[in-house]
């Protein structure tokens, strides 16, 4: 960690038992193609931290080889110069493994969220549950529905709720954590913790976000003058700090079951 002007040798490709690697704040500006060999030949890839470097999309291209990072469970590429999530984080091909459960791309200069975002976390049991895109999106950008639809939830008003499918997790919200009251229980998958702070005037479809399983949602320093009229009805923690909101004129969680 913190080695200035670090240059990765091509011999990194022999690390066939790789599980976790941190190269934070190393002035990295290039990842050799042999790193893809280490990824392809390793199982149980857990953690990758490439934050605080000088990486961009070209840095992960070596000749005709594209470095794909989506086999890791946790990926942190924050504080770099990436303009696209393709192909190293998401890929239009459904055959490319995507195990990402936690993704941090904060403080980059993304031009958009591609439609291939629908493949993020597709091979993780409950999908990708933490996403940090703080200060990474263009001003006045509108989130695509494909991104919000990574987060899904359903609620059963009856006392018995079935989350038995392997792709759904169960959570108790409100009341006793051991209650069998269906009004406090949800089945969910996908994004639970979402930080979209410091993206000025960021917009989204309110009917789509209403039906997500986002429990903790942060939109601080986004230059909002009013609160959104609809937010995830599963929300437990909302952070609107450092906006210019002077009045709350309408309820924001009135559609909660």
């Amino acid at each position: 960690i913190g080695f200035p002007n670090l240059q990765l040798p091509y011999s990194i490709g022999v690390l066939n038992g790789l599980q976790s690697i941190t190269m934070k704040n190393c002035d990295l500006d290039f990842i050799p193609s042999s790193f893809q060999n280490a990824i392809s030949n390793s199982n149980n890839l857990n953690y990758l931290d490439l934050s605080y470097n000088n990486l961009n999309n070209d840095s992960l291209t070596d000749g005709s080889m594209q470095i794909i990072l989506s086999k890791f469970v946790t990926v942190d590429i924050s504080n770099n110069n990436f303009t696209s999530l393709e192909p190293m984080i998401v890929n239009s091909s459904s055959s490319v493994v995507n195990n990402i459960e936690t993704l941090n791309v904060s403080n980059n200069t993304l031009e958009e969220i591609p439609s291939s975002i629908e493949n993020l976390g597709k091979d993780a049991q409950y999908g990708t549950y933490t996403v940090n895109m703080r200060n990474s999106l263009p001003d006045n950008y509108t989130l695509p529905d494909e991104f919000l639809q990574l987060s899904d939830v359903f609620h059963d008003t009856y006392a018995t709720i079935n989350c038995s499918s392997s792709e759904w997790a169960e959570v108790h919200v409100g009341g006793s954590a051991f209650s069998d009251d269906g009004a406090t229980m949800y089945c969910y998958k996908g994004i639970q913790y979402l930080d979209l702070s410091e993206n000025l005037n960021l917009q989204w479809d309110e009917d789509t976000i209403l039906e997500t399983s986002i429990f903790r949602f942060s939109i601080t320093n986004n230059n909002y003058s009013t609160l959104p009229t609809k937010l995830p009805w599963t929300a437990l923690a909302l952070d609107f700090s450092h906006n210019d909101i002077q009045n709350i004129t309408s309820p924001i969680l009135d559609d909660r079951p």
Side-chain angles (χ1 to χ4, degrees):
I1 301 173
F3 291 100
N5 302 311
L6 179 68
Q7 297 294 317
L8 291 182
Y10 277 84
S11 58
I12 196 172
V14 304
L15 297 176
N16 294 337
L18 187 66
Q19 293 186 5
S20 177
I21 185 166
T22 298
M23 293 181 285
K24 180 178 182 178
N25 192 24
C26 292
D27 289 332
L28 277 175
D29 59 11
F30 177 69
I31 305 292
S33 58
S34 57
F35 187 58
Q36 186 63 50
N37 295 331
I39 293 173
S40 299
N41 296 326
S42 299
N43 296 314
N44 302 315
L45 290 167
N46 182 46
Y47 185 85
L48 175 66
D49 187 347
L50 295 174
S51 62
Y52 291 93
N53 283 295
N54 297 313
L55 297 170
N56 57 38
N57 289 81
D58 291 338
S59 303
L60 274 68
T61 302
D62 187 2
S64 61
M65 175 71 75
Q66 295 277 347
I67 310 299
I68 305 298
L69 307 178
S70 58
K71 199 174 175 183
F72 287 90
V73 173
T74 296
V75 176
D76 187 343
I77 56 170
S78 63
N79 294 278
N80 279 287
N81 301 301
F82 290 105
T83 58
S84 176
L85 297 177
E86 292 182 318
M88 71 287 188
I89 300 298
V90 291
N91 196 292
S92 58
S93 173
S94 59
S95 65
V96 177
V97 173
N98 200 305
N99 292 326
I100 298 175
E101 295 180 359
T102 299
L103 176 64
N104 188 348
V105 295
S106 61
N107 296 303
N108 279 280
T109 54
L110 301 179
E111 295 175 353
E112 63 174 358
I113 299 176
S115 59
S116 58
I117 196 71
E118 65 185 6
N119 288 324
L120 181 65
K122 67 180 180 62
D123 298 301
Q125 182 176 5
Y126 302 128
T128 302
Y129 60 84
T130 299
V131 175
N132 186 341
M133 287 189 177
R134 176 184 288 262
N135 189 35
S136 289
L137 296 169
D139 292 354
N140 305 302
Y141 185 71
T142 300
L143 294 176
D145 286 351
E146 293 94 336
F147 175 67
L148 293 175
Q149 288 166 354
L150 289 170
S151 181
D152 200 4
V153 64
F154 73 82
H155 171 269
D156 194 333
T157 56
Y158 298 98
T160 301
I161 191 166
N162 182 9
C163 299
S164 60
S165 171
S166 61
E167 69 180 51
W168 293 92
E170 179 180 304
V171 67
H172 298 257
V173 179
S176 169
F178 303 100
S179 170
D180 287 328
D181 178 5
T184 65
M185 298 174 65
Y186 306 92
C187 293
Y188 70 90
K189 62 181 178 180
I191 301 173
Q192 303 167 55
Y193 310 102
L194 180 59
D195 190 345
L196 295 173
S197 301
E198 299 179 37
N199 293 301
L200 296 183
N201 302 308
L202 184 69
Q203 305 296 318
W204 54 79
D205 182 83
E206 293 187 338
D207 289 328
T208 302
I209 204 170
L210 180 68
E211 299 298 329
T212 64
S213 61
I214 300 168
F215 301 146
R216 289 176 172 82
F217 188 35
S218 180
I219 47 173
T220 68
N221 277 297
N222 284 43
N223 197 40
Y224 293 135
S225 58
T226 59
L227 286 174
T229 58
K230 293 182 180 179
L231 287 166
W233 55 253
T234 55
L236 297 176
L238 301 171
D239 190 351
F240 304 125
S241 303
H242 306 293
N243 283 286
D244 189 25
I245 299 170
Q246 299 181 8
N247 296 293
I248 299 177
T249 58
S250 62
I252 57 174
L253 295 174
D254 57 343
D255 291 294
R256 184 190 296 266

